[in-house]
Amino acid sequence: MAMPKARTRKPARRPSPPAPGPGLKILFVASECAPYAKAGGLADVVAALPKTLRQMGHDARIVMPLYAAIDRARYGIGFLQPVCVHMGNGEEQWIGLHGGRLDGEVPVWFVDCDRYFGRPGLYDEAGGEYGDNAFRFALLSKAATQICKDTGFIPDVMHAHDWPAALAPVFLKTWDRILSPLSATASVLTIHNIGYQGVYHASVFPYIGVGWEHFVPERFEDHGNVNLLKAGVAFADALTTVSPAHAREILEPIGGMGLAPHLDARRADLTGILNGTDYDHWNPETDPFIPAHYSLKDLSGKAACKADLQKRMGLAERPDWPLFGIVSRFAPQKGFGLLAECLPDALRQMLFQVVVLGTGDPWMENVFRGLAAAWPGRVACHIGFSNELSHWIEAGSDFFLMPSLYEPCGLNQMYSMKYGTLPVVRATGGLDDTVENYNEKTGLGTGFKFWEPAAAAVCDTVGWAVSTWFDRPHHIAKLRRNAMQQNFSWETSAAEYVRVYEHAVAARRRG
Ligand code: ADP
Ligand code: GLC
C-alpha cells in the first residue's frame, strides 16, 4: 500500500455555548442506555445526549426495556404503575412501568415485561438471536406511546434509535394520527447502525397492528419479509445518522445496505451529526477505573497505567515497546478479519504488543485466544465485556486499533484521543471525520489512517505507527498532545439535534 496521504487539518471542534433552550419535550426510545444495559456505542449516546439536552433547558427523558440483568436496587429503579399496551390483533400486553434517574438527572422509564425482557441477553444469548425480537421491540415502541398517554408527558418529539425503536415513528403516524394526545408529536429516527435492520418473517406483521396497506416495498416489505428500520425511514419526520461522512455513505448502494433508494427519497430530511464524548465518564484526569490519573500537563500517570496494564494482562513490562489496544464487539463490521490475516506476520516482523478486550463472533474470539497463546508477553486478550478494563486499555495503550470496514461514527477513537492514545483507523464514516492523519513533515495530526479495506493496508499502517514510535518519538509526543486537545464534547452535537427536532416539528405541523 502507498503511504497514506496527509490530509488537510480540519479545525478542532469547539463547543459553542448552549443557546437558551426553547424547552422542547423529547422522549428517547431505545433498547440500550449506559450504564443500565450496553452492547455498544448506542448505549453511550442514549445516556449522554439527553443529559446534555436537559442542561440546555429541554425536557429529555428515556424509555427502555427493564432487562433482567439491570440491577434495580443499585440504580434506584422503582415500580410506578401498570400500563396496558394494545398491540395488533386486539392483543393486550400489561407491563409494569418503572422509573429511575440517570446520573441523578435524566428521568428514565423502564418497561417491565417478564415475557419479553425477563432473560439474560439484550438481543441474543449464546444460542443466537432471540426468535421473538420483532415482538419484544414492537412492544417497546408501542409501550413508549402508551406511557406518554398514561403519564401525561406529551413530547414534542419522539426520538427513536435504530431498528429496535423504529416502530415508534410508525405508530405515531398510524395509531396516533388523529384524536390522540400524540397527534402533534413529531418523530426523529437515528440510524446508528444500518447493518442491523430488524428483518423478520411477514407473520409478525399482524402483531405490529398497522394495516396491510403498509406492507409495501416503500414502507415495511423487504423481499417478502418485514423490515422494521425501513418502515422507520419511511415514517419518521426527520432522519439522522451519527456522522456527516456516514450520512453520505448510506446514500450509496454499498453503504445503504439495501436502503439507499429509500434514504435517497428522504435525503432532504437526513442529517449526519457526529456523536460526542461524555467527558464526565471518559477523562484521564478523573476516571475512577484507571490506576493513575494524568493530563496534558503531566503524562506520568499514563506511563503508570501502561505498566499496570501490561502486568495485569501478563504482557512483558516494557515501557519502550509500543502497545496497541483493541476494545470492540467482534462483528464483521469491525474489520478484525483483516487483522487476523496480517497480525501473525506483523508480529514476526515488528516489535509491538497488542491487548484485546472483546466478545462476539466465536471465530474471532478464537483467533485472539490463539494469538495470545502463540505470542506470550506480546499479545494478551480478555474475551468478555468489562467496562472497567475498557477504560484501562484506553489509558494504558499507546495506539488504538480500529480497522473497521464501515463505522457510522465510532466512539473509542474519540475516547482514545482524550487519553493520549493514538487511533489507527480505516478512513470510513465517523473515523474519517474525527481522526486527522499524521503528517510526517510537520508532526501534525491525531492518528494514523488508511483507506483500502485490505490486510496489507492494516499491516502497513501498524508498521507506520511502530516506526514512528521508534524513529520519531518527538512526533509521537506531538501527536499525543494534538489528540488530547481535541474537543468532542456533546454540546455542539446536541445543538445540531435541536435543529433537527425543530425541522421534524415543522414537518409534522405541515402534516
Ligand atoms: P459499536 O457501537 O459499533 O460497538 P462504538 O465505537 O460506537 O462501536 O462503541 C463501542 C462502545 O462499546 C464503547 O464504549 C466501547 O468501549 C464499548 N465496548 C465494546 N466492546 C466492549 C467490551 N468487550 N467490554 C467493554 N466495553 C466494550
Ligand atoms: C453503532 C455504530 C458506531 C456508533 C454507535 C453509536 O453501533 O457501529 O459506529 O458510534 O452506534 O452511535
Side-chain angles (χ1 to χ4, degrees), residues 371-387:
L371 283 166
W375 293 91
R378 298 269 310 274
V379 180
C381 73
H382 176 94
I383 302 302
F385 196 95
S386 164
N387 191 34

Side-chain angles (χ1 to χ4, degrees), residues 40-45 162 190-193 196 242 275 329 333-334 402 406-414 430:
L42 169 65
D44 294 19
V45 174
D162 270 350
T190 293
I191 301 175
H192 295 261
N193 201 327
Y196 302 83
V242 287
N275 285 334
R329 292 183 295 117
Q333 160 197 358
K334 300 295 178 181
M402 297 177 80
Y406 77 94
E407 194 62 73
C409 181
L411 296 172
N412 284 109
Q413 82 281 10
M414 295 193 274

Side-chain angles (χ1 to χ4, degrees), residues 174-390:
T174 50
W175 290 63
D176 292 294
R177 199 165 52 87
I178 41 172
L179 296 177
S180 155
L182 296 175
S183 58
T185 297
S187 61
V188 174
L189 173 66
T190 293
I191 301 175
H192 295 261
N193 201 327
I194 202 160
Y196 302 83
Q197 298 183 5
V199 179
Y200 298 104
H201 192 270
S203 58
V204 308
F205 195 68
Y207 181 76
I208 294 169
V210 301
W212 280 101
E213 71 274 16
H214 297 299
F215 192 72
V216 289
E218 296 77 30
R219 294 191 278 282
F220 273 94
E221 196 267 342
D222 181 356
H223 297 89
N225 293 313
V226 161
N227 182 326
L228 302 184
L229 189 67
K230 186 183 191 182
V233 166
F235 281 92
D237 293 302
L239 303 168
T240 73
T241 188
V242 287
S243 69
H246 197 59
R248 295 188 293 275
E249 289 168 353
I250 58 177
L251 294 176
E252 299 296 326
I254 292 178
M257 301 194 196
L259 294 188
H262 304 279
L263 288 160
D264 196 48
R266 304 283 328 264
R267 69 188 303 157
D269 301 311
L270 171 67
T271 315
I273 304 177
L274 202 60
N275 285 334
T277 299
D278 186 343
Y279 292 124
D280 289 346
H281 293 292
W282 295 93
N283 183 348
E285 292 181 48
T286 53
D287 193 327
F289 296 116
I290 61 178
H293 290 144
Y294 58 93
S295 67
L296 198 55
K297 287 197 198 89
D298 177 7
L299 278 162
S300 52
K302 182 157 180 71
C305 289
K306 177 172 175 179
D308 278 7
L309 179 63
Q310 286 170 323
K311 192 182 211 148
R312 170 176 175 168
M313 298 301 293
L315 291 166
E317 291 172 47
R318 297 291 304 252
D320 51 332
W321 291 357
L323 172 56
F324 287 75
I326 290 173
V327 178
S328 189
R329 292 183 295 117
F330 294 154
Q333 160 197 358
K334 300 295 178 181
F336 293 124
L338 305 179
L339 202 61
E341 259 182 72
C342 75
L343 256 189
D345 278 348
L347 283 159
R348 263 190 296 278
Q349 291 158 7
M350 300 178 250
L351 189 55
F352 64 94
Q353 294 175 317
V354 186
V355 58
V356 183
L357 166 65
T359 177
D361 174 12
W363 177 80
M364 206 56 236
E365 292 181 350
N366 283 332
V367 167
F368 284 124
R369 282 194 192 101
L371 283 166
W375 293 91
R378 298 269 310 274
V379 180
C381 73
H382 176 94
I383 302 302
F385 196 95
S386 164
N387 191 34
E388 182 235 355
L389 185 55
S390 73

